[in-house]
Amino acid sequence: MFSALSAPLTYALKPIAVTDGMWMLAGAPQPITFENGGAIANITILDSSEGAIIIDTGPSRRFGEELATLARSLTGKDIARVYITHFHPDHAFGNQAFVAESIAAPQGVIDGLRDAGAAFSDAMYYIARDWMRGTDIVLPKHAVTSGVEEIGGRRLHLFALAGHTSSDLVILDETSGTLIAGDLAFLDRAPTTPHANLSVWQQSLTTLGDLDFKMLVPGHGPVEADKRALTQTHEWLAAIADIIQRSYERGLDMLETARQPLPPSLEKIALSRYEFERSVMHLYPKLEAERLPEVGKKIE
Ligand SMILES: [Zn+2]
């Protein structure tokens, strides 16, 4: 008899067909845990005449390897291109399974992964343990900026934006009219904000809202044929900024702020309390630092 602990770990990836020649691997609507092996982000696979195009590589070497195998079998071709939407480990730690020269990202994503990768890696090994075995950080070697790229008959419009992190890549597959929004859009799963700039994020949401697309793949949450992921993410960010600011102004401390209710429509989103409390823990001190008088500046 094998115990669960001695069984080989496998992600058993299950592709969901989004549209012709496009699949998504749906991330678990959970925080990163040992049980999910860090597979919490959505991953997209596109077919093209030159080969598979993959957007984000998942949380570990093992995930990347399973993803590469799956993409080859779905498309019957090798991997033509990989894009990384941002430097978070659940999106970029499967890079090792791919040729670094084929991995593309804005320079800001590459820099972020270089600077924060080791700290992320420690955290991931601590939580996901055996799933991470043999995982090293591989930096994308192909820097991209906003503009159109044509790969194997697909027209991909790249948008180098920011807000969820200091550099967020969004890809509009013009061929199918699908917007792959990375973590600038969450749906029915509360947004994470540890590296966010909320006002820049809101500007990026406005930019995305003006685009013409038929379907949206959020970084976390289900694919939908409308802009609900953009409006819900906007509402979430506006609500948490407002609650934190008003609580601070009423003299509530950080823990009291973290206990404030969310609007009912947002309270019911998966992980709403968990992410709100995490957001308060880093956004409240930031606000406090901005509002405190700068001691010493006035003495002249
Ligand atoms: Zn993220």
Side-chain angles (χ1 to χ4, degrees):
M1 255 227 333
F2 293 101
S3 78
L5 283 175
S6 63
L9 296 172
T10 168
Y11 286 98
L13 304 178
K14 291 184 190 68
I16 299 165
V18 176
T19 174
D20 253 8
M22 180 181 301
W23 301 266
M24 185 186 87
L25 300 172
Q30 298 160 359
I32 292 168
T33 63
F34 174 74
E35 285 68 30
N36 60 38
I40 64 166
N42 291 337
I43 309 294
T44 306
I45 301 167
L46 301 165
D47 193 9
S48 86
S49 63
E50 276 178 40
I53 301 164
I54 292 175
I55 302 169
D56 286 340
T57 59
S60 64
R61 174 185 187 149
R62 184 183 298 272
F63 187 100
E65 287 168 354
E66 288 184 38
L67 171 62
T69 303
L70 175 69
R72 287 189 185 101
S73 82
L74 286 171
T75 62
K77 303 176 201 97
D78 207 349
I79 315 298
R81 173 62 61 84
V82 176
Y83 291 100
I84 300 298
T85 60
H86 63 295
F87 74 107
H88 282 157
D90 49 330
H91 296 259
F93 270 28
N95 285 3
Q96 222 172 338
F98 304 93
V99 179
E101 283 74 14
S102 74
I103 309 176
Q107 190 60 45
V109 174
I110 301 170
D111 293 346
L113 198 54
R114 188 193 57 228
D115 296 345
F120 284 152
S121 183
D122 288 349
M124 290 295 287
Y125 270 89
Y126 182 73
I127 301 167
R129 304 195 294 274
D130 267 9
W131 291 100
M132 302 305 295
R133 197 178 291 164
T135 301
D136 289 322
I137 293 148
V138 171
L139 300 182
K141 286 219 169 141
H142 184 89
V144 291
T145 52
S146 294
V148 173
E149 297 207 327
E150 298 213 23
I151 302 176
R154 273 198 190 269
R155 261 179 77 86
L156 303 174
H157 198 144
L158 310 186
F159 297 88
L161 299 171
H164 172 67
T165 66
S166 56
S167 179
D168 295 285
L169 176 66
V170 172
I171 300 175
L172 175 60
D173 172 42
E174 292 186 349
T175 308
S176 68
T178 308
L179 188 71
I180 299 123
D183 278 6
L184 286 175
F186 281 69
L187 183 57
D188 298 337
R189 193 274 190 215
T192 65
T193 61
H195 306 100
N197 178 317
L198 300 194
S199 58
V200 173
W201 192 340
Q202 293 284 26
Q203 287 164 28
S204 292
L205 288 170
T206 304
T207 303
L208 298 180
D210 289 340
L211 299 177
D212 228 0
F213 58 87
K214 289 192 204 126
M215 253 175 323
L216 188 151
V217 181
H220 299 259
V223 180
E224 275 195 5
D226 66 15
K227 300 190 173 181
R228 197 165 69 92
L230 301 180
T231 50
Q232 194 186 73
T233 304
H234 160 75
E235 281 167 20
W236 176 273
L237 298 178
I240 66 167
D242 183 57
I243 294 168
I244 294 169
Q245 185 171 329
R246 280 190 299 124
S247 300
Y248 177 81
E249 282 162 3
R250 282 167 53 209
L252 301 186
D253 68 21
M254 190 161 71
L255 293 176
E256 289 163 336
T257 302
R259 285 198 291 269
Q260 294 303 298
L262 289 156
S265 61
L266 299 177
E267 194 80 64
K268 63 173 196 261
I269 293 174
L271 300 179
S272 61
R273 290 317 302 177
Y274 173 79
E275 294 297 352
F276 174 63
E277 286 167 16
R278 287 179 75 206
S279 292
V280 170
M281 296 307 159
H282 64 90
L283 294 176
Y284 185 100
K286 230 183 190 174
L287 179 67
E288 198 172 35
E290 280 166 22
R291 297 292 178 90
L292 283 175
E294 285 186 64
V295 179
K297 242 204 167 155
K298 299 245 157 65
I299 309 166
E300 279 173 340

